Amino acid sequence: MQDLSRHFAETLAASQPDSLDDATVTEAHRALVNFMGVALGGADHEAMDITLKALGQFTGPGTAAVLGRRETVDMSMAGLLNGISSHIHDFDDTTPSNYIHPTSPVASALFAWAAVHPISGRDFLHAFALGFDVVTRIGDATYPNHYQAGWHSTGSIGIFGAAVAIGRLLGLDAQQMLWAIGMAGTQASGLRDNFGSMAKGFHPGHAARCGIEAAFLAQAGFNTGNTPLEGPRGFAAVTAGGMLDVDNLMDRFGSHYRFEGITYKPYPCGIVIHPTIELCSSIHAEGTAPEQVEKVELQVAPIVRDLCDQRPTRGLQGKFSIYHAAAIGLVRAQGRLSEFTDEAIADPALAAMRDRVTPVAVDGQSADSVRAIVTLKDGTVIDRFLPESLGNVKRPLSNDQLNDKFLNQITALGGDQAQQVLDACWKLGEMENVGDLVRATVPR
Amino acid sequence: MQDLSRHFAETLAASQPDSLDDATVTEAHRALVNFMGVALGGADHEAMDITLKALGQFTGPGTAAVLGRRETVDMSMAGLLNGISSHIHDFDDTTPSNYIHPTSPVASALFAWAAVHPISGRDFLHAFALGFDVVTRIGDATYPNHYQAGWHSTGSIGIFGAAVAIGRLLGLDAQQMLWAIGMAGTQASGLRDNFGSMAKGFHPGHAARCGIEAAFLAQAGFNTGNTPLEGPRGFAAVTAGGMLDVDNLMDRFGSHYRFEGITYKPYPCGIVIHPTIELCSSIHAEGTAPEQVEKVELQVAPIVRDLCDQRPTRGLQGKFSIYHAAAIGLVRAQGRLSEFTDEAIADPALAAMRDRVTPVAVDGQSADSVRAIVTLKDGTVIDRFLPESLGNVKRPLSNDQLNDKFLNQITALGGDQAQQVLDACWKLGEMENVGDLVRATVPR
């Protein structure tokens, strides 16, 4: 498509809040409720303290509240911190069509904006939907090539959503929006080598921060190439082996916001090991004691081994370990934040169970499913199949389940305050100033 | 190599200033003289004003002077600005073995550091040599794959040098240095789609800024994966199709600093069109008037067409146009900053000459050479070959030529001040505090 990026930018610059349909507004609220929960749940993670310790010297005047923290920083740094807190537990939303966590980079930037600039809920939702949609479209149009090449696309594609969302709030014209996309593309980064470390959580924060700055640079006239997405040295060529499914990218662009594929996690870890946690938990619940288990074979989708075939030595690695997923199900019958701490990894009962697990990749098997063949010491074989795990697109979390998830993970705020923030999130679209919500998250 | 990144980091963390030999010290001074000239030459470029206008709100307390500017910003932002000024004219050094401009990202970070922290010339040179060497080694070990994939390696590899240089000054231990490399790799970015725009100049600045922050994050304990260079989802796998020439990377690492391939540009534009400017200027000097020229065939290395086969519409694009290179030689017999402005691109005489130029790629031809076949309107054919252009590794600029280059390009400072800065640069290694040099560049 001739001038693809330019056309893309023109559509974004012209978009108006009344383009959001009811289904988009409803799902955007669910996404933001889920986001706020994980951001507050991660706000007191040590990665946040470390970031503030290291980079606090590089923040401008503290005009922006950080979600769930008492410190104030500049808007760009707030975007970074919101992104880290909302992804550090790997508990944020996922779009299984491209394995991106789309809300974190976009909403992190937007709540940083709202901390500084008065903004109505209506405008906030519009900018959020626009950014979310852009992330999902670019993600879908370059999947699987971009992700399989080793990019953590939540960062490397998330940056486009942050830049576009902030760019729209700045009122960028089409040329400026094109430059904002150009500045986003040229800062796109994030390597999957970092899965299982704090750097993974850094990625959407860096995307939010760099996306914010991309939009401001574009507004001021910092120019870029004209073909950031489609050019022979542009984003798709350089990072996705040239894959850019233009029909997918542009299908109903500007009139339809692609929220239909979003999922919310019941467990704070890589989504492809959720079926294993759920199935192994149910085997435990049926009465199988951990000490009875001789060995466990897991038949899983190939991507499970691609992503999660690691023996963990720290909590963050446990989030990407199929061995650990089976162990916490069979030993503890649950997967909360406390199952992915350094202490949990060191738990001898979990370590012993991990050693009994063998994952087998089965071509064509859905990543939503798992088959577990558990052999007990007495020779009994338990053979179970889970076709669709909770939280995936066919078994979505209900609003009540989202509320429970929200309240159960927050340690930075008291229960009353958490409930108030939760109630406000469900009404975000009607707020006069979303900044009030940001400030309501600061621990009392 | 098992634990390659870890071994790499251990060597860097243990390096001491006395590992620098005389040849390294000499060439490092030449590199820094050339760097300071281009940084001051670019300090009043509009891209600098735009960046300050857009991002000034995001700088911490103004503890750091920016080279050639009156504004003060935080150290990280100073790294960004120094990087933009020193690369915006495409006049900085080049390592033709990998087409990286290695000094800009590293020295930009280091002068930002020196603006804030007292640092001796000896320690500065050591950190610079370390960062420069790392950039050159990673560049050589992943060339041509990384560059040909479309990465602007001055940014995407430069970031490692900035992180390592600042990391060494912070006294990082081996584990922290490994994390600094990890944080650098996961922020590595910069697309060649932006050649011919301000975003190209942004890349080494962004590398300097992100490299500085990578080192501080690592110091504070922000952890990453352990295989940032060699892992299956690490830098080489993701950005260079898996190419990582370990023998090249590690050859005499820790004892030899790889400065032998550095070149300094006589013209402020892409290095591969330098031969064309020089040869066409000499054809003009022989008495060929522009209006006599009917057509020009240029036989060039294939990379010339790969990089510079564009018809410019703005000054920065002229820096990557083989057509414009031939035109300024044949029409003006020179290539100064004034040949790469928007006004020069619009000059009718240059536009007319560009239209008469046909580049032809010749397999196996050196990028240091060019053959020009100029057909005049009276039928005369002038056929010239230039085997080695000025400024390449076999015809290096002398110290006197570096001095002339330095003084001729600086407009932000008066002549006396420029001369004083130049004199100080040649003695940088003996300075008690390099911060004095930084402050001496602030326009009086």
Side-chain angles (χ1 to χ4, degrees):
Chain A
M1 186 180 195
Q2 187 81 16
D3 285 332
L4 176 70
S5 293
R6 190 174 292 281
H7 181 65
F8 202 72
E10 285 166 357
T11 303
L12 291 165
S15 177
Q16 296 296 333
D18 60 13
S19 60
L20 269 61
D21 60 319
D22 290 347
T24 297
V25 170
T26 297
E27 199 60 46
H29 274 97
R30 283 165 50 85
L32 291 169
V33 165
N34 186 71
F35 168 84
M36 186 62 81
V38 294
L40 299 179
D44 50 1
H45 192 282
E46 69 170 318
M48 295 288 284
D49 300 325
I50 291 172
T51 304
L52 278 159
K53 183 179 171 192
L55 305 187
Q57 63 189 309
F58 304 135
T59 178
T63 53
V66 180
L67 298 173
R69 302 280 306 194
R70 289 195 181 84
E71 298 88 348
T72 55
V73 294
D74 69 41
M75 187 201 318
S76 175
M77 192 69 79
L80 172 66
L81 289 161
N82 293 342
I84 294 173
S85 65
S86 61
H87 191 56
I88 195 70
H89 285 309
D90 243 295
F91 211 4
D92 48 330
D93 56 12
T94 310
T95 306
S97 62
N98 54 37
Y99 286 105
I100 296 176
H101 310 283
T103 295
S104 173
V106 180
S108 295
L110 284 172
F111 280 113
W113 171 282
V116 177
H117 300 284
I119 177 174
S120 71
R122 184 163 184 263
D123 287 342
F124 188 103
L125 278 189
H126 174 232
F128 172 61
L130 217 53
F132 184 105
D133 187 56
V134 161
V135 173
T136 303
R137 287 174 182 275
I138 297 175
D140 287 346
T142 59
Y143 186 85
N145 288 29
H146 178 79
Y147 190 68
Q148 286 184 352
W151 294 104
H152 182 204
S153 39
T154 296
S156 55
I157 294 179
I159 189 172
F160 290 106
V164 162
I166 299 300
R168 188 65 194 81
L169 294 179
L170 286 171
L172 300 189
D173 66 24
Q175 175 64 71
Q176 292 168 327
M177 188 65 86
L178 178 56
W179 291 337
I181 294 169
M183 286 307 296
T186 215
Q187 297 179 84
S189 65
L191 301 176
R192 281 175 53 191
D193 190 62
N194 296 303
F195 279 23
S197 77
M198 292 179 189
K200 182 176 195 279
F202 179 84
H203 295 157
H206 191 59
R209 184 184 187 202
C210 294
I212 289 169
E213 297 188 2
F216 277 95
L217 284 163
Q219 182 191 41
F222 208 95
N223 62 41
T224 72
N226 291 318
T227 53
L229 297 175
E230 77 278 21
R233 305 297 190 197
F235 181 78
V238 177
T239 72
M243 180 185 179
L244 187 67
D245 183 338
V246 175
D247 290 340
N248 189 324
L249 182 75
M250 301 305 285
D251 178 41
R252 294 178 291 161
F253 182 50
S255 61
H256 175 74
Y257 295 89
R258 203 172 287 180
F259 275 82
E260 61 272 21
I262 191 173
T263 68
Y264 308 101
K265 292 179 174 184
Y267 309 114
C269 60
I271 194 169
V272 300
I273 59 175
H274 286 200
T276 294
I277 299 173
E278 183 178 347
L279 183 57
C280 289
S281 296
S282 72
I283 291 170
H284 178 104
E286 287 171 18
T288 304
E291 53 276 12
Q292 293 178 275
V293 176
E294 173 78 27
K295 62 179 181 178
V296 183
E297 179 181 320
L298 297 171
Q299 295 180 4
V300 295
I303 194 169
V304 178
R305 293 205 58 192
D306 181 43
L307 269 171
C308 296
D309 194 354
Q310 74 172 312
R311 305 277 178 178
T313 60
R314 59 181 176 228
L316 289 179
Q317 291 171 336
K319 294 173 181 288
F320 295 92
S321 169
I322 183 66
Y323 309 98
H324 192 64
I328 61 175
L330 289 166
V331 175
R332 298 189 180 180
Q334 62 194 8
R336 304 157 307 178
L337 291 175
S338 53
E339 270 64 57
F340 299 97
T341 60
D342 292 350
E343 293 69 36
I345 299 301
D347 178 342
L350 292 174
M353 187 63 81
R354 288 197 297 267
D355 288 342
R356 295 177 206 142
V357 174
T358 305
V360 178
V362 177
D363 283 337
Q365 184 170 333
S366 160
D368 297 330
S369 73
V370 65
R371 182 178 176 195
I373 304 169
V374 180
T375 304
L376 303 186
K377 287 179 178 157
D378 67 4
T380 308
V381 174
I382 302 169
D383 187 339
R384 295 280 185 280
F385 181 71
L386 177 67
E388 300 284 354
S389 66
L390 179 65
N392 83 50
V393 77
K394 291 180 186 160
R395 277 182 68 200
L397 294 191
S398 67
N399 288 0
D400 284 345
Q401 287 171 314
L402 283 176
N403 287 339
D404 288 344
K405 174 182 172 181
F406 185 103
L407 295 170
N408 285 338
Q409 70 183 303
I410 296 177
T411 53
L413 308 185
D416 282 0
Q417 190 178 358
Q419 183 68 52
Q420 287 161 10
V421 171
L422 174 59
D423 294 342
C425 284
W426 285 114
K427 296 175 192 155
L428 186 146
E430 299 154 30
M431 292 188 82
E432 276 186 40
N433 183 4
V434 181
D436 296 338
L437 172 57
V438 176
R439 286 178 284 277
T441 71
V442 176
R444 288 179 201 141
Chain B
M1 186 179 194
Q2 188 80 17
D3 285 332
L4 176 71
S5 293
R6 190 173 293 280
H7 181 65
F8 203 72
E10 285 167 356
T11 303
L12 291 165
S15 178
Q16 296 296 333
D18 61 12
S19 61
L20 270 61
D21 60 318
D22 290 347
T24 298
V25 170
T26 298
E27 199 60 45
H29 275 96
R30 283 166 49 86
L32 291 169
V33 164
N34 185 70
F35 168 84
M36 186 62 82
V38 294
L40 298 179
D44 51 1
H45 192 281
E46 69 170 316
M48 296 286 285
D49 300 325
I50 290 172
T51 304
L52 279 158
K53 182 179 172 193
L55 305 187
Q57 63 189 309
F58 304 135
T59 178
T63 53
V66 181
L67 297 174
R69 303 279 307 192
R70 288 194 181 85
E71 297 89 348
T72 55
V73 294
D74 69 41
M75 188 201 318
S76 175
M77 192 69 78
L80 172 66
L81 289 161
N82 293 342
I84 294 173
S85 65
S86 60
H87 192 55
I88 195 70
H89 285 309
D90 243 296
F91 211 5
D92 48 330
D93 56 10
T94 309
T95 306
S97 62
N98 54 37
Y99 286 106
I100 295 177
H101 310 281
T103 295
S104 173
V106 181
S108 295
L110 284 172
F111 280 112
W113 172 280
V116 178
H117 300 284
I119 177 174
S120 72
R122 184 163 184 263
D123 287 341
F124 187 102
L125 278 189
H126 174 233
F128 172 61
L130 217 52
F132 183 106
D133 187 56
V134 161
V135 173
T136 304
R137 287 175 182 274
I138 297 176
D140 287 347
T142 59
Y143 187 86
N145 289 28
H146 178 79
Y147 190 68
Q148 286 185 352
W151 294 104
H152 183 205
S153 39
T154 296
S156 56
I157 294 179
I159 189 172
F160 290 107
V164 161
I166 299 301
R168 187 65 193 82
L169 294 179
L170 285 171
L172 300 190
D173 65 25
Q175 176 64 72
Q176 293 168 326
M177 188 65 86
L178 177 57
W179 290 338
I181 294 168
M183 287 307 296
T186 215
Q187 296 179 85
S189 65
L191 302 177
R192 280 175 53 191
D193 191 63
N194 296 302
F195 279 22
S197 77
M198 292 179 189
K200 182 175 194 280
F202 179 83
H203 294 157
H206 191 58
R209 183 184 186 202
C210 294
I212 289 170
E213 297 188 1
F216 277 95
L217 284 163
Q219 182 190 42
F222 208 96
N223 61 42
T224 72
N226 291 318
T227 53
L229 297 175
E230 76 279 20
R233 304 297 190 197
F235 181 78
V238 178
T239 72
M243 180 185 179
L244 187 66
D245 182 340
V246 175
D247 290 341
N248 188 324
L249 183 75
M250 301 305 286
D251 177 42
R252 294 178 290 162
F253 182 50
S255 61
H256 174 74
Y257 295 88
R258 203 172 286 180
F259 276 82
E260 61 272 21
I262 191 172
T263 68
Y264 308 102
K265 293 179 175 184
Y267 308 114
C269 60
I271 194 170
V272 299
I273 59 175
H274 287 201
T276 293
I277 299 173
E278 182 178 349
L279 183 57
C280 289
S281 295
S282 72
I283 290 170
H284 178 106
E286 286 171 19
T288 304
E291 53 277 11
Q292 292 177 276
V293 175
E294 173 78 25
K295 63 178 181 178
V296 183
E297 179 181 320
L298 298 171
Q299 295 180 2
V300 295
I303 194 168
V304 179
R305 293 205 59 192
D306 182 44
L307 269 173
C308 296
D309 194 355
Q310 75 172 313
R311 305 277 179 179
T313 60
R314 59 180 177 228
L316 288 178
Q317 291 171 336
K319 294 173 180 288
F320 295 90
S321 170
I322 183 68
Y323 308 98
H324 191 64
I328 61 176
L330 290 165
V331 174
R332 299 189 180 180
Q334 60 193 7
R336 302 156 308 178
L337 291 176
S338 53
E339 271 63 58
F340 299 97
T341 60
D342 293 350
E343 293 70 34
I345 298 301
D347 177 343
L350 292 173
M353 188 62 82
R354 288 197 297 266
D355 287 342
R356 294 178 207 140
V357 175
T358 305
V360 178
V362 177
D363 282 337
Q365 185 171 332
S366 160
D368 297 331
S369 73
V370 66
R371 182 179 176 194
I373 305 170
V374 179
T375 305
L376 304 185
K377 286 177 179 157
D378 68 4
T380 308
V381 174
I382 302 170
D383 187 338
R384 296 281 185 278
F385 181 71
L386 176 67
E388 300 283 353
S389 66
L390 179 64
N392 83 49
V393 76
K394 291 181 186 159
R395 278 181 68 200
L397 294 191
S398 67
N399 288 359
D400 284 345
Q401 287 172 313
L402 283 176
N403 287 338
D404 288 344
K405 174 182 172 180
F406 185 103
L407 294 171
N408 285 337
Q409 70 183 303
I410 296 177
T411 53
L413 307 185
D416 282 0
Q417 190 179 358
Q419 183 67 52
Q420 286 161 11
V421 171
L422 174 58
D423 293 344
C425 283
W426 285 114
K427 295 174 192 156
L428 185 145
E430 299 154 29
M431 292 188 82
E432 277 187 40
N433 183 4
V434 181
D436 296 338
L437 171 57
V438 176
R439 286 177 285 276
T441 71
V442 176
R444 286 178 203 143

